[in-house]
Amino acid sequence: MTINVTLREMITDDLPTFYEQQSDATANYMAAFTPTDPADRNAFTTRWLKILRDDNISKKTIIYNGDVAGQVLSFEHFGEPHVSYWIAKEHWGKGVATSALSKFLADSKIRPLYARAVKDNIGSIRVLEKCGFTITGEDKGFSNARGTEVEEFILKLDR
């Protein structure tokens, strides 16, 4: 089965959709590392407008069957290049994340590239591994979405 996923430049008009996607409580729980208050639309908009203006952040909107399904970004985090993505909950389990991340990585020559996933986010860990990442370490951090410290895997893509 072919997954109809494309990536395009991120635009300001994507922000209302991203806000709705990132307001989902289940999605926030799985992502774990989220803003303190995902419902704060002003903070959300301020943060994303800053991201859109930052030429050091590579950012793409994920389109699935013609709809905005999420985003994928690469940026510096803890002094190393990292990648992250967000897929709207209604698109989980369809191969959208794997397809989008694979396309993003094909266009990015930054290596090594790192990613982080909370240990119980099996779906995200599986996506990263399918795209060539391997678990290279562990860390802990405070999860706003969960209100507690959580354990996460650090993954690395060398090739």
Side-chain angles (χ1 to χ4, degrees):
M1 181 171 82
T2 302
I3 304 294
N4 186 11
V5 172
T6 57
L7 302 179
R8 68 157 166 76
E9 294 300 317
M10 197 177 280
I11 58 174
T12 306
D13 288 347
D14 294 331
L15 298 186
T17 303
F18 292 165
Y19 176 77
E20 292 304 318
Q21 293 169 348
Q22 294 180 19
S23 295
D24 182 88
T26 303
N28 272 283
Y29 183 87
M30 291 310 297
F33 300 104
T34 61
T36 305
D37 181 5
D40 185 340
R41 192 172 203 126
N42 288 332
F44 171 89
T45 301
T46 299
R47 176 177 172 261
W48 275 96
L49 289 174
K50 183 178 176 185
I51 289 169
L52 286 172
R53 288 190 304 269
D54 191 335
D55 292 333
N56 294 315
I57 299 174
S58 179
K59 50 215 165 269
K60 297 290 183 181
T61 296
I62 301 166
I63 306 296
Y64 173 61
N65 290 338
D67 295 324
V68 173
Q71 77 270 343
V72 59
L73 305 108
S74 66
F75 51 93
E76 186 174 307
H77 185 58
F78 299 124
E80 298 173 322
H82 276 69
V83 66
S84 71
Y85 56 89
W86 188 286
I87 304 297
K89 186 171 74 173
E90 64 266 21
H91 300 302
W92 292 359
K94 299 177 182 178
V96 175
T98 302
S99 179
L101 184 57
S102 293
K103 289 175 189 246
F104 186 83
L105 294 172
D107 289 339
S108 173
K109 303 306 173 207
I110 299 170
R111 303 292 187 270
L113 187 61
Y114 296 87
R116 290 171 175 256
V118 67
K119 286 185 174 183
D120 64 2
N121 190 340
I122 304 303
S124 190
I125 294 164
R126 184 161 161 75
V127 166
L128 291 161
E129 290 177 332
K130 283 182 183 180
C131 290
F133 284 81
T134 56
I135 295 172
T136 59
E138 299 180 14
D139 200 2
K140 292 181 184 180
F142 185 79
S143 165
N144 289 321
R146 299 180 183 193
T148 189
E149 186 175 77
V150 295
E151 295 181 341
E152 64 182 333
F153 287 122
I154 301 167
L155 298 97
K156 182 179 179 183
L157 178 66
D158 280 319
R159 54 180 166 82

